[in-house]
Amino acid sequence: MNFPHDLNPEKIPQHVAVIMDGNGRWATSRGLPRIAGHRQGAKTLKQLLRYCKDWGIKALTAYAFSTENWQRPIEEVDFLMRLIERFLRRELAQMHQEGIKISFIGDLSALPPSLQKQIAHSMIETSNNQAIHFTLAVNYGSRNEITRACRQVAELVEQGKINAAAVNETLIEQHLYTVDTPAPDLLIRTSGEMRLSNFLLWQMAYTEMYFADVLWPDFDQEAFHQALLSYQQRDRRFGKVKPLFSA
């Protein structure tokens, strides 16, 4: 897939995170059931993964199912679980062949046993791949993740393995789901919504954010191209101030 001529290959984000919003509205606007939107959304995610891989982005993390999503109608929840499992079954061989490393973050223990088994198989099968790191957040909530990390650190203090003075950001990060993944450089959220929805709150302290009006199933190559163009125009200082004059 050709690299866009107006993008600077030296300023491509290394890690992109996406909140895939608007599947239901996309389907409803077409007189289709909501599940049709989720099905089309999975195809959009597959295409985005390919764009990332071809354009030199090293990690893609997608918010597939939040801890709050259990409150949706049971039929929709069941369909989403089957959709994730079917996605893995159908695409695993191809993704493995393309060098894609697959990870999952979230409380996976609450997922259907057959999905848990497929997730474990996918992660083991692709664990040594290095072309791109593809992470799906399933039954994920950032406050839950941070609370879990704090509890684990508190247990270490309680057991006398460390003292309270040793608790710092690095130690907390070692107990997050994302321990082996650098923080996202760019977050993309579709459908015009402008909130984080409990997604990677710790990890996105200095992430650039891009909000697109397009609904997720319509988030195509050009829409992603525009997101990257916007990102490349940002001045990323990470809290620092650039000198007014340089020698």
Side-chain angles (χ1 to χ4, degrees), residues 3 5 12 25 47 49 52 93 144 151 194 210 236 245:
F3 187 83
H5 66 87
I12 287 292
R25 277 169 282 170
Q47 284 299 320
L49 179 59
C52 288
N144 188 335
R151 185 183 301 116
M194 297 184 185
Y210 179 84
R236 305 194 76 204
F245 304 100

Side-chain angles (χ1 to χ4, degrees), residues 35-87:
I35 61 173
H38 294 309
R39 191 179 288 115
Q40 185 61 38
K43 295 178 181 177
T44 299
L45 178 59
K46 179 183 172 183
Q47 284 299 320
L48 179 64
L49 179 59
R50 182 154 286 113
Y51 303 148
C52 288
K53 176 177 173 289
D54 290 348
W55 293 354
I57 294 165
K58 293 300 182 183
L60 173 65
T61 299
Y63 204 6
F65 191 89
S66 74
T67 49
E68 292 76 27
N69 286 156
W70 294 107
Q71 299 171 34
R72 293 186 176 188
I74 186 65
E75 296 83 8
E76 184 173 348
V77 170
D78 287 347
F79 176 81
L80 286 168
M81 294 297 137
R82 292 195 302 272
L83 182 64
I84 296 168
E85 185 172 348
R86 195 180 311 124
F87 178 84

Side-chain angles (χ1 to χ4, degrees), residues 15-16 18 20 41-42 45-46 49 59-66 80 83-88 91 95 100-108 111 115 119 122-123 133-140 177-178 181 199-200 216:
H15 182 184
V16 173
V18 291
M20 306 177 289
L45 178 59
K46 179 183 172 183
L49 179 59
L60 173 65
T61 299
Y63 204 6
F65 191 89
S66 74
L80 286 168
L83 182 64
I84 296 168
E85 185 172 348
R86 195 180 311 124
F87 178 84
L88 291 174
E91 305 296 338
M95 289 194 289
I100 297 167
K101 177 181 178 179
I102 303 172
S103 294
F104 281 79
I105 56 174
D107 180 7
L108 307 181
L111 304 180
L115 177 54
I119 285 173
S122 302
M123 291 173 63
H133 188 182
F134 176 46
T135 303
L136 277 172
V138 180
N139 195 27
Y140 174 87
Y177 292 125
T178 54
T181 309
F199 184 46
L200 300 177
W216 175 252

Side-chain angles (χ1 to χ4, degrees), residues 2 15 33 41 53 69 87 99-100 114 121 142 165 188 211 222:
N2 293 333
H15 182 184
K53 176 177 173 289
N69 286 156
F87 178 84
I100 297 167
S114 61
H121 173 62
S142 191
I188 298 170
F211 300 102
E222 180 55 28

Side-chain angles (χ1 to χ4, degrees), residues 19-22 188-193 212-216 219:
I19 299 177
M20 306 177 289
D21 203 6
I188 298 170
R189 180 166 187 159
T190 55
S191 86
E193 304 292 351
D213 289 333
V214 63
L215 301 176
W216 175 252
F219 191 79

